[in-house]
Amino acid sequence: MIQVIFLISVFLLFHSYVLYPLILNLLARSKKQNLLIYPSEDELPIISILLAAYNEEKVIQKKIETTFNTQYPGHKIELLIGSDKSTDNTNSIIEQYALKDIRIKFTTFSSRQGKGNILNIISKQANGQIYVLTDAKVFFTPKTLFELVKHFKNPQIGMVGGNLINKNRESHEIAVQEMTFMSREIKMKYQEGVVWGTMMGAYGACYAIRSKNWRPIPEGFSVEDFYMTMKVLQDKKACITELKAKCFENVPGLLQEEFRRKVRISAGNFQNLIAFRRMLWPPWKGLSFSFLSHKVIRWIGPLLLIVAFISNGVLFSKNIIYKYLFICQIALLLVPFLDYILRKIQVHVVLLRFITHFYGMNAALLTGLFKYLKGVKTNVWEPTARNQ
C-alpha cells in the first residue's frame, strides 16, 4: 500500500509538470487557432476597458496613454477606472485625463472595496459588447486590443486571454524563473484553447470577455480572473489565448513579494476549486482533463510532495532504488538553503534558483491552503512591487 501511495503521488506530479505539457504539444500540432475573425475595423464592436486601481501614481499616466494609443477605432472605446481609496496622486492624475476625454469614466471610493467589488460596480456603467480587463502596471501595444477582440466574430468564443510578457531579464532573485514560468503557462493556455477551447484561467491583467458572459464576482473571491474563466466555460463558450495580443509588465521577481502574491492566489484557487468542483467530471472530457491536469493537481502539489517524501522514507530500506530516491529528495530540499547562502554573497546559479522557485511556489500554495481553511475574509489587495 505504501508503494502504491508513493507511486501515485509521484505520477500525479510528473503528469502535471511533464506529461500533460507533452500531451498538449502533441495534440496542438494538428489544430489551428480560431480563424473566424473580424475582417475590418468597421465591424469591430464597442469595448469597455475595466481597470481597478490602487495607489498607481507611478504608472497610471502611461497606462492611460498606451491604452488609447491603439489601432482600435477610438470612438469604439471607453475606459472605466475605479480607484480603491487611493491615497497618493492616482485620483488627481486620472481626473485630469477624464476632464479632457469623455471616453474615460472615473469612479472613486472612500473605503477599500477590493478588486472584485470594484469591477462589479464599474461594470454596471459599461456600454461595450466586449469587456477588456486590465491592470495599471500592464501596458498595451497599439495592436493589443484588436488582437484580443477580433475573435469575438466567432459566436462560440466567450473569452480571449492576452499574452503577458515580462520585460525583466535580471538574474538576481527569481525574475528569470518567473519569466520562464509565465511563458510556459501562456503556451499551455494557448494550446488548451486550440485543442479544447478550455484555456485554464486568463491572466487578469489582460483579457477580453463578452459582456453577456460577465458574472458578478462573489464577495471575498481573490482570484476573479479564474472564476470568470470557469463561468464562461460553464456557459459552454470557448476560452482561448491570442499570442499576438501582447502586453508588457516588469516583474522584478522579488522572492518575498512573489511569495506573498502566490499565497493570495493559492487561497483563491481553493475557493475556485470548491465553486467549480463539479466541472472535474467526467474526467475524460477536455474541460475536466485540463482543469485536473493543469490546475487541481498543482494546487494540491505541496501535499503530494509531502506524501511522496514520507512514503519514500518509509520505503527507504525496501531496496536500493527507494534509498537513492530518498537521498535525492533530501538533496533537492537542501538546494533552497544553499541558494540562499550563495545569494547572500551575490552568487546566482540559475539552475539552483529554478529549484528554489519550485519549492517556494509549493510553499506558497501550502500556505494559501491553510489560509483558505482558516477562512478568506476579504479580497482587498495590496499590490506586489513592480518595476516601472
Side-chain angles (χ1 to χ4, degrees):
M1 178 60 73
I2 296 297
Q3 289 176 297
V4 173
I5 292 174
F6 173 74
L7 291 174
I8 289 175
S9 59
V10 171
F11 173 77
L12 289 175
L13 288 166
F14 178 78
H15 170 70
S16 185
Y17 284 98
V18 180
L19 185 58
Y20 178 64
L22 291 176
I23 292 172
L24 282 177
N25 277 326
L26 182 63
L27 294 178
R29 287 178 183 176
S30 59
K31 302 285 186 177
K32 291 184 178 180
Q33 179 71 289
N34 168 60
L35 298 177
L36 183 56
I37 62 175
Y38 285 106
S40 68
E41 291 185 355
D42 294 336
E43 296 184 44
L44 289 169
I46 296 172
I47 62 174
S48 299
I49 303 171
L50 309 182
L51 170 61
Y54 173 66
N55 287 354
E56 305 289 4
E57 65 177 5
K58 294 181 180 179
V59 296
I60 196 63
Q61 178 176 344
K62 182 178 179 181
K63 176 63 180 181
I64 294 173
E65 291 176 352
T66 57
T67 296
F68 286 112
N69 178 26
T70 176
Q71 295 177 2
Y72 204 92
H75 66 285
K76 293 186 175 183
I77 300 174
E78 63 175 6
L79 173 60
L80 295 90
I81 307 175
S83 177
D84 197 7
K85 197 185 177 183
S86 294
T87 56
D88 60 2
N89 292 319
T90 298
N91 292 356
S92 60
I93 294 172
I94 300 172
E95 285 167 353
Q96 291 174 24
Y97 279 91
L99 287 173
K100 295 182 291 185
D101 195 331
I102 60 173
R103 295 175 298 175
I104 300 175
K105 299 179 181 179
F106 182 42
T107 305
T108 60
F109 295 86
S110 58
S111 62
R112 294 299 305 276
Q113 300 291 316
K115 183 177 180 180
N117 290 337
I118 294 286
L119 294 176
N120 285 340
I121 295 168
I122 64 175
S123 65
K124 295 177 182 178
Q125 308 169 34
N127 298 308
Q129 299 163 264
I130 307 297
Y131 296 168
V132 176
L133 284 294
T134 187
D135 287 344
K137 297 182 177 71
V138 173
F139 306 113
F140 298 155
T141 72
K143 294 183 178 180
T144 303
L145 292 174
F146 171 76
E147 296 295 343
L148 278 175
V149 178
K150 68 180 183 182
H151 291 286
F152 291 101
K153 176 74 172 178
N154 186 338
Q156 294 304 312
I157 291 177
M159 176 182 286
V160 181
N163 184 3
L164 192 60
I165 299 172
N166 177 16
K167 297 174 67 176
N168 191 355
R169 298 292 190 272
E170 298 177 9
S171 61
H172 70 288
E173 295 283 337
I174 55 169
V176 172
Q177 288 70 29
E178 272 296 306
M179 177 190 69
T180 304
F181 174 76
M182 285 180 59
S183 298
R184 189 167 184 261
E185 282 291 293
I186 288 172
K187 179 182 178 182
M188 290 173 64
K189 292 179 181 186
Y190 168 77
Q191 292 172 331
E192 288 166 340
V194 168
V195 176
W196 299 298
T198 61
M199 168 189 64
M200 275 294 108
Y203 280 115
C206 182
Y207 73 91
I209 179 175
R210 289 187 190 276
S211 58
K212 63 182 179 182
N213 292 120
W214 175 267
R215 298 291 184 275
I217 301 160
E219 182 73 27
F221 260 60
S222 58
V223 185
E224 72 290 332
D225 45 11
F226 191 82
Y227 174 85
M228 204 59 65
T229 303
M230 299 303 281
K231 279 296 183 181
V232 173
L233 292 170
Q234 272 190 340
D235 289 342
K236 309 298 183 184
K237 297 296 183 181
C239 295
I240 66 172
T241 296
E242 174 52 69
L243 297 179
K244 293 180 181 178
K246 297 179 181 179
C247 48
F248 297 89
E249 70 172 342
N250 282 348
V251 181
L254 302 175
L255 276 166
Q256 290 183 339
E257 289 289 334
E258 291 304 319
F259 183 85
R260 180 168 67 87
R261 185 177 70 89
K262 284 182 169 61
V263 168
R264 178 184 62 81
I265 292 173
S266 175
N269 289 340
F270 290 103
Q271 290 177 314
N272 280 302
L273 176 56
I274 297 302
F276 299 108
R277 62 191 182 279
R278 291 185 177 84
M279 295 174 72
L280 288 168
W281 190 265
W284 55 84
K285 293 290 186 68
L287 172 56
S288 304
F289 183 63
S290 53
F291 186 21
L292 176 66
S293 302
H294 192 171
K295 293 300 180 181
V296 176
I297 294 177
R298 293 194 184 187
W299 294 346
I300 64 170
L303 302 179
L304 295 174
L305 286 169
I306 292 170
V307 169
F309 183 80
I310 294 174
S311 57
N312 196 176
V314 174
L315 296 167
F316 182 81
S317 59
K318 191 78 174 179
N319 60 48
I320 191 75
I321 295 177
Y322 288 119
K323 187 175 294 186
Y324 283 137
L325 287 174
F326 191 67
I327 292 172
C328 285
Q329 287 201 66
I330 293 175
L332 288 171
L333 286 169
L334 291 175
V335 165
F337 298 100
L338 174 61
D339 184 40
Y340 174 79
I341 294 171
L342 292 175
R343 193 165 66 250
K344 286 296 184 181
I345 58 174
Q346 299 301 309
V347 175
H348 303 284
V349 182
V350 173
L351 179 59
L352 297 184
R353 194 63 49 78
F354 271 106
I355 298 172
T356 297
H357 181 262
F358 174 78
Y359 280 112
M361 181 172 62
N362 277 278
L365 286 168
L366 186 61
T367 305
L369 172 58
F370 291 144
K371 182 178 179 180
Y372 167 74
L373 292 174
K374 288 171 60 179
V376 180
K377 301 296 192 302
T378 178
N379 64 351
V380 173
W381 85 113
E382 293 290 337
T384 52
R386 290 290 187 269
N387 293 339
Q388 314 310 332

